[in-house]
Amino acid sequence: MTTPTSRRALPRLHRAATERPYFSADGESYLAGTTLRELTKSRPLRVLSEADFAHWQTFGHVIVKQAVTPEAARRLLDFTWEFQGLDPERPDSWYEDRPWRSELDRQLHVYGFVEAYHHQLLWDNRQARRVYDAFVDVWDCEELWVTQDRLNLNPPNVGNRDRALIEPTDRGFDIDLHWDIDTTLGVPPQRVQGIIALNETTPEAGGFQCDPELFRRFEEWKLSQPADRDPLRPDVDRAEYPVVRPHLEPGDLLIWNGLLAHGVARNTSRDQVRAVQYLSMMPALEEHERLRRSRVEAWRHLRTPRWNRTLVGDPVLHESKRYPTAVLDPLGSRLLGLTSWHEEDGAGDGAGETAAGAPDAASGTAATDPRGESTCAESA
């Protein structure tokens, strides 16, 4: 008698709390009846112009000018320097050694990641109406959740921040140019990511780069590719599919499609620093109770989020020991998942914690253990 070959159980898909049908297992990538590049709008545009939306669907990215004020960007930049214990006026301080708990820690240092997720200034930008409205335009729905993501402060890539210190790989994730989704799948998942610039970008300082022409001609390009091609790293002729670096000013929001090949250019300047806040929104998976509670508890107690194994918490002094829980307004409460999009204000779990009476989490438990030794999977 033969026994059937065991198969790995497929993850459960949850329906988002949206009129337009979106389904996801993890709140990062989504299945939909229509891809975002082919979506026909059912709601009027709030922030994007018709030309902006056409550019988004054709080239896979769009820039929202001053999604937050330059002053808000500057305040968060100042906080980023302070959190890292670095002096913007002393370049020698940018390369002081930090304790490494793992090889992943060292890689994150090279890439310039800043392990702060819950400070009030981060949440102020997440709650900014212009930021939210831009993602409503992209997804064509209002019921969204915001990512609990970190910051980036990337000085010139020399010394102990030299990218040559990271062993290159032949396949898979590549900081220079990669996709955020498996592009060999017959039905590619829909994924959206974004950054807010905290200072002005220059070509020498590196930063976000992408291949919009490959996005535009992706269906044509993939027909000529071998069956065993790398699902995450494109092998393209950059003369035919040029890589570009969009210019960003403080407060600008850049949103990109997961099917857009992108990465981070090396900082080759002498003394410039590239600084951004990672921020995205996606359809709210309110029926995914475990995920919702994890998000709320991470905010409430300033715990390191668990949605990505490269999120590890600061090795010197975890943020839960530095400042209290951020105050949320009604929009922020919904973007977190504390309040349902289908409830009145203050009717959700932990109602009342969105005002100034939010619990002080400065004595919360620090979740500082690394979540694995994989190559950094952050995108920009």
Side-chain angles (χ1 to χ4, degrees):
M1 178 179 178
T2 59
T3 57
T5 303
S6 61
R7 296 180 179 178
R8 184 177 181 181
L10 295 175
R12 177 187 172 189
L13 291 177
H14 298 267
R15 168 71 188 260
T18 56
E19 182 178 349
R20 181 179 288 275
Y22 289 112
F23 300 86
S24 178
D26 55 13
E28 294 182 60
S29 58
Y30 289 74
L31 295 180
T34 304
T35 65
L36 293 174
R37 68 183 305 171
E38 298 169 321
L39 180 148
T40 299
K41 290 286 294 179
S42 65
R43 299 170 180 271
L45 290 167
R46 299 182 175 191
V47 171
L48 304 186
S49 67
E50 294 289 348
D52 289 335
F53 192 73
H55 188 279
W56 155 258
Q57 292 198 305
T58 304
F59 297 109
H61 69 286
V62 64
I63 296 173
V64 180
K65 302 300 293 182
Q66 291 196 16
V68 302
T69 65
E71 292 75 20
R74 179 67 196 186
R75 287 193 295 270
L76 187 52
L77 176 60
D78 290 343
F79 161 78
T80 305
W81 284 110
E82 179 184 355
F83 186 91
Q84 291 295 82
L86 305 179
D87 185 343
E89 304 301 325
R90 286 184 49 237
D92 59 300
S93 74
W94 306 347
Y95 302 92
E96 294 174 354
D97 285 331
R98 291 163 62 88
W100 312 130
R101 299 163 298 189
S102 66
E103 179 62 20
L104 174 59
D105 261 1
R106 190 169 67 88
Q107 293 177 6
L108 296 175
H109 176 75
V110 170
Y111 291 140
F113 289 109
V114 179
E115 298 294 318
Y117 302 87
H118 302 295
H119 191 272
Q120 185 68 56
L121 292 173
L122 288 162
W123 271 105
D124 288 346
N125 287 352
R126 292 166 185 165
Q127 299 174 130
R129 176 62 64 166
R130 187 166 167 81
V131 172
Y132 165 69
D133 284 345
F135 283 101
V136 171
D137 286 347
V138 166
W139 286 103
D140 196 42
C141 65
E142 297 180 350
E143 300 85 356
L144 301 175
W145 277 354
V146 68
T147 50
Q148 294 173 300
D149 214 332
R150 56 191 162 187
L151 300 154
N152 185 266
L153 191 69
N154 188 32
N157 295 135
V158 297
N160 64 8
R161 294 183 184 269
D162 191 338
R163 288 194 188 173
L165 297 172
I166 298 178
E167 191 71 25
T169 59
D170 293 329
R171 288 177 65 87
F173 173 81
D174 178 23
I175 191 69
D176 182 63
L177 200 65
H178 64 277
W179 289 294
D180 290 330
I181 60 174
D182 183 342
T183 61
T184 61
L185 295 175
V187 181
Q190 304 304 298
R191 187 171 184 181
V192 172
Q193 292 185 259
I195 53 175
I196 293 178
L198 304 186
N199 59 0
E200 184 172 7
T201 62
T202 66
E204 297 79 15
F208 183 88
Q209 61 182 12
C210 61
D211 198 326
E213 185 64 15
L214 178 59
F215 180 89
R216 186 180 76 85
R217 297 168 54 190
F218 178 77
E219 296 300 324
E220 166 197 337
W221 172 84
K222 75 175 185 179
L223 292 176
S224 65
Q225 302 306 302
D228 63 346
R229 70 175 175 86
D230 193 321
L232 299 180
R233 185 186 305 190
D235 182 10
V236 295
D237 178 353
R238 295 199 180 185
E240 183 177 3
Y241 299 96
V243 173
V244 302
R245 299 180 188 174
H247 179 258
L248 299 176
E249 297 178 316
D252 289 354
L253 166 67
L254 178 111
I255 305 175
W256 72 93
N257 190 307
L259 191 60
L260 176 69
H262 64 281
V264 185
R266 186 188 301 267
N267 186 337
T268 60
S269 70
R270 292 188 58 187
D271 56 4
Q272 298 177 44
V273 175
R274 179 259 191 170
V276 300
Q277 175 185 3
Y278 295 102
L279 187 157
S280 186
M281 296 185 190
M282 67 288 295
L285 291 188
E286 292 186 351
E287 71 170 41
H288 193 335
E289 182 62 18
R290 181 178 179 183
L291 176 60
R292 189 194 69 81
R293 287 193 174 277
S294 174
R295 290 169 51 83
V296 170
E297 290 304 301
W299 159 77
R300 180 177 288 138
H301 301 294
L302 286 81
R303 294 172 181 163
T304 302
R306 297 181 178 273
W307 61 270
N308 185 314
R309 59 184 174 177
T310 72
L311 311 182
V312 298
D314 189 76
V316 177
L317 184 64
H318 193 268
E319 64 181 317
S320 62
K321 299 182 181 296
R322 300 195 192 203
Y323 36 75
T325 299
V327 176
L328 307 182
D329 63 19
L331 174 59
S333 182
R334 286 182 166 84
L335 290 172
L336 172 65
L338 184 69
T339 303
S340 170
W341 280 98
H342 303 295
E343 295 175 347
E344 295 296 327
D345 289 351
D349 174 32
E353 294 184 30
T354 60
D360 188 333
S363 61
T365 302
T368 57
D369 292 337
R371 300 216 185 340
E373 297 292 331
S374 66
T375 302
C376 178
E378 284 295 328
S379 301

